Amino acid sequence: MAVSTNELAILAIVLLVTAVVFYTKGTRRAPLPPGPRGIPFLGNLFQFNVMRPYPQYLKWAQKYGPVFSIKLGSQRIIVLSTSEAADELFVTRSKLYSSHESPHVGFDLVSDQQRMVFMPYSREWKIVRKNVHGILGPGPSKQMRKMQDLECRIMLHDLLCHGDTSIVEDFVEGPHGKVPERHWFSIIRRYTTSLMMTLVYGRRIHRIVDNPELHQVYEMMSNMTHVSQPGRYLVDALPILRWLPDIMAPWRAEGKRMHEWEMGFWGKLFADSRTAFLNGTGLNGFVQSYLSARAEAGLEDLPGKGATEDGAGWMRDKLITYTAVSIIEAGSDTTSTAVFSFVLLMLSNPDALRRAKEEMGAVVGSSRMPDWEDEDRLPWLTACIKETLRCAPPLPLGIPHKADEDDVYNGYLIPKGSTVIGNIWAIHMDPVRYPDPTAFKPERFYNPDGKLNWASGPDTHNRDHYIFGWGRRFCSGKYLAEASMFIVLSRLIWGFDFYAASDPQTGKVKLPDVNDVDTFTDGLVTAPKIYPVGFKPRSEKHAEMIKASYRDVQNDWQSMGLAGDER
Ligand code: HEM
């Protein structure tokens, strides 16, 4: 039988339409993943602590399986609790799952839609990501090693001077994780934030006490991690409320007020930097380099938000400001949280700590400090860091992704618009993958013979841990973060005998319980709450080297045109 071209075309269209109808119906027919029953309109909103959902999510995963579903108002949340599920959706199907959930208050109002970490998968995000990768990718991030080395030496000196201050003085944590200036937590925070500020603005944080700038950065970050938590605002869960008039929508004024507050700080940093650039006194950070490239392209003045529509996609001033914010925020609290958790877990596991010190003594000794070249020869330390990150991931639920289309996974429907969470905490507590998961066992990752790799690589199934997320939204700062964790923690082990407070009556060591969720703060970033630790140099020789190093680094700052330390 002869078939004409027209008939073939009609046949092709009929087959296509049938396939589309079949696929769409198939998708619609698939059931939602199982999950706890909610109540009308509000769903499961009042069944768990929305500011600290991960313990309940683990329980629900144990009951309903690796993919379960809940509702917060009209917001559908799908929680993935195995690396296979997260891998399949976020990596293999990354085309559908590379948007981040954009909380209405946190993103639209407080961030004026410019904060990278909450951006949908869009042209604007791609522009920002490309620029960020230009300074944080595997090659460029190595240029920060010198700053990491120098800032780390300052940190050692600060800890030496700190001694047992946080043990003998009675410090109280402020609201939203506000840390007292003289507590050792502030010393670590200064290190991470100074690094980010230099990277982005070419200026250091050179003082801890009487330096509102440092503490304000953390106040803003803490505010953001609370404001953006799914379920924090009813309007995030019930978008219909966005239509309410101002008088009935107090979050609108609150969100805008927070935006003004943020711009008072972050906007000023940007404006100062721009003025310095225009006066020719700008330092060498990401913002100044960007402004310089933009000016060379004839776009010295580019106020407003977003990016230009042309092929070059130049970021306007507000988008640059918030790109800088995203890097500073994403890189400060996360890395310092990892340090606080490491110290806590090592103190809680004295055998592991002793072995790390022995290894350090054998490999590095006392006549020099450890460096990145020592990394492969310190496999026990590396195993302890990885085990810390497994037991206490700084973001236990990562940053929530979003489904951009209807999809079906393992026979379950994932409706378009759902928030999709990779439950890092549950994956790390999987007893099959990590037997005895609540125990701290660095031997899981101990590999004295092989080349050590951290959490990267194309083989996402076999990663040691998942703290950096997945797919196209995988943490941009991973290289910098790993380099910081190694240098800070190796030198801490090298230089100090750190110790917990003990009860003066019984002599018993007083440490927060690492397996108690109350030891940690609420919100997107889950850090240990402040706890006292004393820092004693391992020998007079170590102390002298730390002091000499501090003096030398002041010369480095001077030759680099950076502010010297004020103590
Ligand atoms: C231990 C330290 C760190 C942890 C645990 C961490 C964790 C994460 C996670 C879970 C994400 C979201 C991934 C996803 O959506 O699947 C993320 C994104 C991001 N991180 Fe990190 N991070 C750390 C350090 C850093 C550092 C040091 C920087 C910057 C210097 C940084 C910059 C970013 C940025 C810019 C994003 C947003 C990526 C995007 O939206 O496309 N992070 N990080």
Side-chain angles (χ1 to χ4, degrees):
M1 188 180 71
V3 183
S4 72
T5 323
N6 271 355
E7 282 168 326
L8 264 180
I10 291 169
L11 186 65
I13 291 169
V14 170
L15 282 176
L16 190 71
V17 171
T18 316
V20 168
V21 170
F22 180 78
Y23 174 76
T24 320
K25 277 188 127 184
T27 308
R28 288 269 144 72
R29 244 192 279 122
L32 285 162
R37 261 181 113 83
I39 55 171
F41 299 112
L42 296 174
N44 309 92
L45 199 56
F46 296 117
Q47 294 175 359
F48 65 110
N49 177 356
V50 292
M51 297 311 291
R52 190 190 288 163
Y54 64 97
Q56 184 58 47
Y57 282 1
L58 180 59
K59 286 186 194 148
W60 278 334
Q62 284 155 353
K63 181 160 181 196
Y64 296 105
V67 181
F68 72 84
S69 145
I70 57 168
K71 259 192 135 185
L72 300 184
S74 59
Q75 186 182 15
R76 167 73 54 198
I77 299 196
I78 312 278
V79 184
L80 314 173
S81 307
T82 58
S83 67
E84 287 76 16
D87 213 66
E88 171 64 25
L89 268 50
F90 297 150
V91 182
T92 311
R93 303 187 196 179
S94 62
K95 210 162 163 255
L96 300 186
Y97 293 95
S98 291
S99 275
H100 272 172
E101 176 60 42
S102 317
H104 174 58
V105 177
F107 183 63
D108 296 330
L109 301 176
V110 184
S111 319
D112 203 11
Q113 299 179 324
Q114 304 293 283
R115 221 180 208 98
M116 177 193 189
V117 289
F118 298 130
M119 279 185 179
Y121 186 60
S122 58
R123 174 178 180 269
E124 213 153 88
W125 170 78
K126 286 181 190 159
I127 291 170
V128 174
R129 177 97 181 180
K130 193 168 132 238
N131 282 295
V132 166
H133 198 71
I135 51 168
L136 295 179
S141 64
K142 284 231 164 84
Q143 289 170 15
M144 281 301 283
R145 292 243 167 137
K146 178 160 170 96
M147 287 303 297
Q148 287 173 298
D149 169 39
L150 300 179
E151 289 289 16
C152 181
R153 289 166 190 261
I154 302 302
M155 182 206 79
L156 293 180
H157 187 257
D158 284 339
L159 290 174
L160 186 72
C161 300
H162 178 84
D164 61 359
T165 307
S166 56
I167 290 188
V168 293
E169 291 186 25
D170 229 358
F171 290 117
V172 181
E173 185 160 318
H176 296 314
K178 195 161 180 234
V179 168
E181 288 182 336
R182 285 163 40 73
H183 193 274
W184 72 277
F185 270 38
S186 289
I187 293 173
I188 310 297
R189 285 182 166 190
R190 190 213 63 81
Y191 164 85
T192 55
T193 308
S194 190
L195 203 62
M196 292 302 112
M197 289 288 265
T198 321
L199 175 68
V200 168
Y201 281 116
R203 51 186 280 190
R204 300 186 57 233
I205 302 277
H206 64 300
R207 211 170 53 226
I208 302 177
V209 176
D210 290 334
N211 185 359
E213 202 172 67
L214 169 61
H215 307 286
Q216 215 167 342
V217 168
Y218 280 86
E219 208 178 320
M220 301 216 164
M221 284 188 297
S222 166
N223 183 58
M224 186 39 67
T225 85
H226 283 80
V227 164
S228 55
Q229 192 76 352
R232 164 68 183 79
Y233 285 97
L234 206 53
V235 62
D236 286 338
L238 295 168
I240 197 167
L241 299 181
R242 294 181 199 185
W243 298 103
L244 288 177
D246 287 352
I247 187 129
M248 295 166 75
W251 60 82
R252 200 170 296 138
E254 193 180 322
K256 287 183 181 161
R257 215 172 26 248
M258 284 190 236
H259 178 62
E260 294 309 315
W261 176 58
E262 284 202 341
M263 283 304 286
F265 182 72
W266 299 119
K268 182 169 180 318
L269 273 178
F270 174 80
D272 288 352
S273 187
R274 186 160 185 274
T275 309
F277 163 72
L278 294 175
N279 294 339
T281 52
L283 295 163
N284 224 1
F286 159 74
V287 170
Q288 288 90 341
S289 311
Y290 193 83
L291 287 175
S292 160
R294 206 179 70 176
E296 270 171 36
L299 295 166
E300 195 170 278
D301 244 357
L302 205 54
K305 62 180 202 171
T308 56
E309 290 305 323
D310 57 3
W314 287 101
M315 296 194 285
R316 296 175 193 278
D317 289 355
K318 204 176 217 179
L319 188 54
I320 306 177
T321 306
Y322 268 94
T323 301
V325 174
S326 295
I327 296 172
I328 296 170
E329 284 183 340
S332 296
D333 213 5
T334 46
T335 315
S336 44
T337 293
V339 175
F340 304 146
S341 295
F342 175 86
V343 172
L344 180 57
L345 280 155
M346 292 305 267
L347 286 172
S348 310
N349 294 277
D351 286 344
L353 178 56
R354 186 187 34 75
R355 198 167 157 187
K357 284 184 190 177
E358 283 168 8
E359 182 187 63
M360 187 62 73
V363 172
V364 177
S366 60
S367 52
R368 65 174 183 91
M369 290 184 191
D371 226 318
W372 285 281
E373 286 73 46
D374 297 309
E375 207 169 314
D376 280 351
R377 296 188 297 139
L378 294 168
W380 180 255
L381 171 69
T382 312
C384 291
I385 300 175
K386 286 182 182 177
E387 181 66 344
T388 296
L389 299 173
R390 184 194 69 81
C391 292
L395 285 87
L397 301 175
I399 297 179
H401 288 227
K402 189 173 176 175
D404 282 333
E405 295 296 336
D406 275 0
D407 191 21
V408 174
Y409 174 68
N410 269 2
Y412 293 124
L413 172 68
I414 300 187
K416 176 179 176 177
S418 305
T419 301
V420 185
I421 293 179
N423 190 346
I424 298 170
W425 171 256
I427 295 170
H428 287 187
M429 287 296 141
D430 175 357
V432 176
R433 194 172 177 144
Y434 308 103
D436 196 6
T438 54
F440 183 79
K441 290 186 169 173
E443 47 274 24
R444 303 176 204 279
F445 301 120
Y446 184 56
N447 180 10
D449 308 319
K451 168 111 185 85
L452 295 176
N453 67 23
W454 287 65
S456 53
D459 184 4
T460 42
H461 275 305
N462 289 318
R463 281 192 188 145
D464 291 332
H465 60 74
Y466 292 85
I467 65 157
F468 294 119
W470 288 269
R472 299 184 196 187
R473 301 303 286 254
F474 188 75
C475 172
S476 314
K478 175 197 108 74
Y479 299 101
L480 210 69
E482 287 177 345
S484 269
M485 286 188 279
F486 175 77
I487 207 69
V488 165
L489 300 175
S490 64
R491 290 183 179 175
L492 207 57
I493 295 285
W494 168 84
F496 294 99
D497 285 321
F498 46 90
Y499 52 95
S502 49
D503 188 306
Q505 253 90 56
T506 61
K508 238 180 116 203
V509 168
K510 285 198 300 190
L511 263 182
D513 177 0
V514 286
N515 288 319
D516 179 354
V517 287
D518 278 333
T519 295
F520 298 87
T521 56
D522 289 345
L524 209 63
V525 178
T526 302
K529 294 176 187 160
I530 59 166
Y531 61 96
V533 174
F535 296 88
K536 197 162 122 279
R538 285 183 78 184
S539 73
E540 205 36 53
K541 198 169 165 194
H542 287 90
E544 281 312 317
M545 219 181 305
I546 292 172
K547 285 183 204 161
S549 181
Y550 176 83
R551 287 192 296 271
D552 291 348
V553 176
Q554 301 311 313
N555 296 332
D556 286 295
W557 297 144
Q558 205 173 17
S559 65
M560 293 160 85
L562 294 169
D565 291 279
E566 287 173 16
R567 296 288 182 275

